[in-house]
Amino acid sequence: MSPSKHFNLPARLLHWLMSAMILTMLFVGVGMVASVTQRPWLVDLHRPVGIAILLLVIVRLINRLLSPPPPLPADLPTLQSIAAKLSHLLLYALMFAMPLVGWSMLSAGGYPIPMFGAVHLPAIVPHDPALYAVLRCAHTWLAFLLFATVLLHLAAALFHAWVRRDGVFQSMAGGD
Amino acid sequence: MPDPATPPEAGKPRRNPLPALAAIAAIIAAMALAFAWVGGWLTPSKLTPARFVDVIEKANGEVSAGYRRAHAKGVCIAGTFESNGAGAALSKARVFAAGKLPVLGRMSIGGGSPHAADSGGRVRSLSLQLIADDGQEWRTAMNSFPVFMVATAQGFYDLNVASTADPATGKPDPAKMAAFGKAHPEAAPFFEWAKTAPWSTSLASTTYNGVNAFRFVDAAGGSRYVRWSMRPQTPFEAMDAEQLKAADPNFLSADLATRLAAGPLRWDLVVTVAAASDPIADPTKAWPEDRQQIVVGTLIVDRTEPQINGACRDINFDPLVLPTGIEGSDDPILAARSAIYSVSFNRREHEIGTGKAPDATGQAGSSTGGKP
Ligand code: HEM
Ligand code: HEM
Ligand code: HEM
C-alpha cells in the first residue's frame, strides 16, 4: 500500500484549529500590551487559549507519532525539504514553549493564573524577579520568532499551492 | 477532473509564477503590517501603556531603578484580615466568609522618588493582597484621596505631561497646569481635596479609598456596584503646615514603627453600595453620602518590613487581580491601571532581576531603602 498523500483527519483538524488559535494569540498578545483600554478582557482570553494550545499540541504530537505525515514530493530540492522539516520542528518547539513560558512567567511574577471562573493553575516555578525578567523577555522574543516562522511557513505553503502545485498544500487542505 | 494532489503533468504549459509570487508577498506583507499596527508600532502617537510609563518617568525627572514608577517610597506590611461575614450577602468571594486570613501589603506615599520627604506626600496609599481559603486572590491599591482627578487614561497622561518640570526652571510650568485645569474641570474636586483636606499625623489614622467602582456578585447571581474604603480605628490627629515643615523626612515610617511596637493597627473595610443613578465609570465623582455602607471586616496590621527585601517588593498590586465574586467595572481608569502597572512592574523586576537595582534591593550599602 502506498503511503497516504494526506495528513490524517485529526492532524488536519488540529493544524487548522491551532493555526487560527495561534494567530489569534499573537495578535491578542501584542494588542493587549499596547492598549490602555482593552487589556482586561484580552488577557482573560489570552491565558486560557494559550493553555488550550498546550493541551492540543500534546494531542497533536501523539497523533503525529502514531500516524506519520505523508512524504514530501520526491522532486523537492534537498535544501527546501530540510528547511521544511526544520521549520516544522521549530513550530512544534514554539507551540510547546510559548504556553509553558507564559505559565511560568506568571508564576515567577507572583501572579495568580486564572483560567475561567474559579479555576486557577498552580505556580510551576518559584516567585523570583531574576527568573521573571528572563521569562518575560523570552515570552516576547519567542512570540516574535513564532510569528516570523509562521509567516515563512505560510509563504512556503502558498508557494506549494500556487507555484509548485505539487500536492503539499492539498496534503493539509484536503482529505483522502 | 484530475486529483488536485497530483503534480502537474509534464508537457502542460508552464505558468508565469510572478503573479502568484506577488500575491504571496502581498499577503505576507499585509500580515506583518497588521501585526505591527496592532502592536502600536506604526502609530507613535497612540497612547500605549509603555508610552504612559515613559511620561511618568519623565515627570519624575529620573528613573529610580528597581522601584515602582509611582508610589516609589513605601514599606511592606503584614497582618490579618478578619471578615465579619456581612460581605457574604454582597459577594460570593471567599474573603467575605466570616473568618481570618493572612494579609500582605504595602503603605506608601505618591510620587516617583523612593527617598522623597514624607511631608511632600499629599497622597498616601495602602495596597493589600488577600488570599482566601479557596486560593483565590484579591489585590487592591487604595489612596487617601476620595476621588481621582480624571476619568480617562488620556486625562491622567495630560496631567503628567503638564506637571513635568520645565528644564529651565526645574518646576512645572504654571501656564500648562492652568491649561490642564481648564481642559479638565472634572479634576476640581480632587484639587479641592488636595488643597483643603487636613493632613493626618500618621499613616495609621489615614483613610484609604479604592476610588474605582467594582461589581460584587453574590452566590445567587445578584450583583451590585460598590466602592470600598479602609477606615482607620486610630483616631485622626491633624497636622498643620508648620508641623509638616518641621517634620523628619521619614516621620511616617518612624511613627508607624512606634505605634506597631505598642500594638497592632486596625482599619474597618467599608463597602459602599451604589444606587442605580450613581456614576460607575467615573472615579472623579463621589457618590452621595447617604449610600448604604457596610462594614465587612477589619484589617489588622501587626508588622512592617523594609521594601528593599520585604515580600511586597516583587508584587504588582494590579487592581484587576480579583477573585470570583468581585469584578472590574467599566471605569476606564481600572483598565488603564492594570495595563500600566504591568509595564512599571516589568521594568522594575527587570532591573532587579538583572542586578541593575542595587539601591532598591539593599545592595548599595548606605541605602535608606525608601522607607517612608
Ligand atoms: C501559544 C501561546 C502564546 C502566544 C503565541 C503568546 C503570545 C504573546 C504575545 C505576543 C504577548 C505580547 C508580548 C509583548 O509584546 O511584550 C504576550 C503577552 C502575555 N502573555 Fe502570552 N502567549 C501565549 C501563551 C500564554 C500563556 C499560556 C499565558 C499564561 C497562562 C500567557 C500570558 C501572557 C501575559 C500575562 C502577557 C502580558 C504580559 C505583560 O503585560 O507583561 N501567554 N503573549
Ligand atoms: C500559526 C500557524 C501555523 C502553525 C503553528 C503551523 C504548523 C505546522 C506544522 C508544525 C506543520 C507540520 C505538520 C505537522 O506535523 O502538523 C504544518 C504543515 C503544513 N501547514 Fe501549517 N501551520 C500554521 C499555519 C499554516 C497556514 C496559515 C497554512 C496555509 C495557508 C499552512 C499550511 C500548511 C501546509 C500546507 C502543511 C503541510 C506541509 C507538509 O506537507 O510538510 N499552515 N504546519
Ligand atoms: C490612570 C491612572 C493611574 C495610573 C497611570 C497609575 C500609575 C501607577 C503606577 C505606574 C504605579 C506603580 C506600579 C508598580 O510598579 O507596581 C502605581 C502604583 C499605585 N497606584 Fe496608581 N495609577 C493610576 C491611578 C490610581 C488610582 C485611581 C489609585 C487609587 C485609588 C491608585 C493607587 C495606587 C497605589 C496605592 C499604588 C502603589 C501600589 C503598590 O504599593 O505597589 N492609582 N500607580
Side-chain angles (χ1 to χ4, degrees), chain B residues 30-190:
Chain B
M31 286 187 64
L33 275 175
F35 192 69
W37 182 76
V38 171
W41 298 293
L42 301 181
T43 45
S45 61
K46 181 190 170 193
L47 179 53
T48 64
R51 289 176 193 137
F52 205 117
V53 175
D54 291 344
V55 91
I56 295 177
E57 287 176 351
K58 217 168 137 203
N60 289 344
E62 56 169 357
V63 172
S64 303
Y67 288 103
R68 288 162 169 83
R69 271 32 179 181
H71 305 256
K73 190 183 190 189
V75 61
C76 300
I77 57 168
T80 320
F81 179 69
E82 268 181 26
S83 174
N84 61 20
L90 302 173
S91 162
K92 65 184 169 195
R94 289 286 304 164
V95 286
F96 297 124
K100 286 185 192 186
L101 50 98
V103 170
L104 206 120
R106 184 169 177 270
M107 300 189 91
S108 59
I109 58 170
S113 165
H115 306 297
D118 291 345
S119 54
R122 172 74 276 207
V123 174
R124 296 175 185 171
S125 328
L126 169 64
S127 317
L128 299 174
Q129 177 198 43
L130 299 100
I131 303 179
D133 55 7
D134 61 354
Q136 291 203 63
E137 224 175 299
W138 177 20
R139 296 186 187 178
T140 173
M142 296 162 281
N143 272 335
S144 52
F145 48 66
V147 287
F148 199 49
M149 50 289 245
V150 288
T152 62
Q154 184 67 47
F156 196 45
Y157 181 88
D158 295 345
L159 177 62
N160 274 280
V161 172
S163 60
T164 299
D166 184 332
T169 62
K171 285 201 165 120
D173 179 349
K176 280 190 188 156
M177 284 303 287
F180 172 85
K182 232 187 199 145
H184 292 280
E186 74 278 17
F190 172 85

Side-chain angles (χ1 to χ4, degrees), chain A residues 7 15 19 22 60 64 88 91-92 150 153-154 157 171-172:
Chain A
F7 284 85
H15 175 270
S19 55
I22 290 168
R60 183 167 170 183
R64 194 182 200 277
H88 293 166
L91 286 168
Y92 266 105
V150 166
H153 175 74
L154 170 64
S171 72
M172 191 53 95

Side-chain angles (χ1 to χ4, degrees), chain B residues 5 13 63 67 119 125 146 175 192 199 225 296 301-302 307 309 322 358 367:
Chain B
V63 172
Y67 288 103
S119 54
S125 328
E192 181 63 17
W199 294 59
Y225 286 102
V296 299
V301 172
D302 47 34
Q307 65 171 352
N309 51 15
L322 299 168
S367 167

Side-chain angles (χ1 to χ4, degrees), chain B residues 35-371:
Chain B
F35 192 69
W37 182 76
V38 171
W41 298 293
L42 301 181
T43 45
S45 61
K46 181 190 170 193
L47 179 53
T48 64
R51 289 176 193 137
F52 205 117
V53 175
D54 291 344
V55 91
I56 295 177
E57 287 176 351
K58 217 168 137 203
N60 289 344
E62 56 169 357
V63 172
S64 303
Y67 288 103
R68 288 162 169 83
R69 271 32 179 181
H71 305 256
K73 190 183 190 189
V75 61
C76 300
I77 57 168
T80 320
F81 179 69
E82 268 181 26
S83 174
N84 61 20
L90 302 173
S91 162
K92 65 184 169 195
R94 289 286 304 164
V95 286
F96 297 124
K100 286 185 192 186
L101 50 98
V103 170
L104 206 120
R106 184 169 177 270
M107 300 189 91
S108 59
I109 58 170
S113 165
H115 306 297
D118 291 345
S119 54
R122 172 74 276 207
V123 174
R124 296 175 185 171
S125 328
L126 169 64
S127 317
L128 299 174
Q129 177 198 43
L130 299 100
I131 303 179
D133 55 7
D134 61 354
Q136 291 203 63
E137 224 175 299
W138 177 20
R139 296 186 187 178
T140 173
M142 296 162 281
N143 272 335
S144 52
F145 48 66
V147 287
F148 199 49
M149 50 289 245
V150 288
T152 62
Q154 184 67 47
F156 196 45
Y157 181 88
D158 295 345
L159 177 62
N160 274 280
V161 172
S163 60
T164 299
D166 184 332
T169 62
K171 285 201 165 120
D173 179 349
K176 280 190 188 156
M177 284 303 287
F180 172 85
K182 232 187 199 145
H184 292 280
E186 74 278 17
F190 172 85
F191 286 120
E192 181 63 17
W193 169 84
K195 219 163 65 194
T196 61
W199 294 59
S200 83
T201 53
S202 171
L203 290 171
S205 58
T206 301
T207 300
Y208 303 95
N209 305 300
V211 178
N212 301 114
F214 292 80
R215 202 162 81 106
F216 272 14
V217 182
D218 61 43
S223 71
R224 68 273 313 146
Y225 286 102
V226 302
R227 287 175 177 170
W228 57 72
S229 296
M230 282 289 177
R231 194 170 61 197
Q233 291 188 3
T234 310
F236 184 88
E237 207 186 309
M239 205 175 180
D240 63 28
E242 289 300 301
Q243 287 168 298
L244 261 180
K245 219 185 230 162
D248 181 85
N250 299 317
F251 78 91
L252 288 176
S253 59
D255 166 83
L256 204 59
T258 312
R259 287 176 191 266
L260 284 171
L265 298 166
R266 291 185 160 77
W267 285 260
D268 288 327
L269 174 54
V270 183
V271 173
T272 304
V273 181
S277 55
D278 291 340
I280 302 306
D282 186 348
T284 67
K285 301 222 163 31
W287 292 345
E289 293 285 339
D290 62 358
R291 290 296 173 256
Q292 184 191 12
Q293 294 200 323
I294 302 155
V295 175
V296 299
T298 306
L299 169 69
I300 302 155
V301 172
D302 47 34
R303 58 194 186 278
T304 64
E305 269 182 306
Q307 65 171 352
I308 50 169
N309 51 15
C312 73
R313 187 191 68 194
D314 300 319
I315 291 184
N316 171 0
F317 291 94
D318 176 342
L320 289 181
V321 169
L322 299 168
T324 48
I326 308 181
E327 295 169 6
S329 67
D330 288 339
D331 182 343
I333 294 295
L334 270 180
R337 290 175 69 188
S338 189
I340 292 161
Y341 290 20
S342 177
V343 173
S344 175
F345 179 73
N346 288 349
R347 291 190 187 176
R348 60 190 175 83
E349 293 300 286
H350 192 263
E351 290 151 0
I352 290 173
T354 55
K356 294 194 187 85
D359 188 55
T361 53
Q363 311 295 308
S366 67
S367 167
T368 59
K371 282 192 209 164

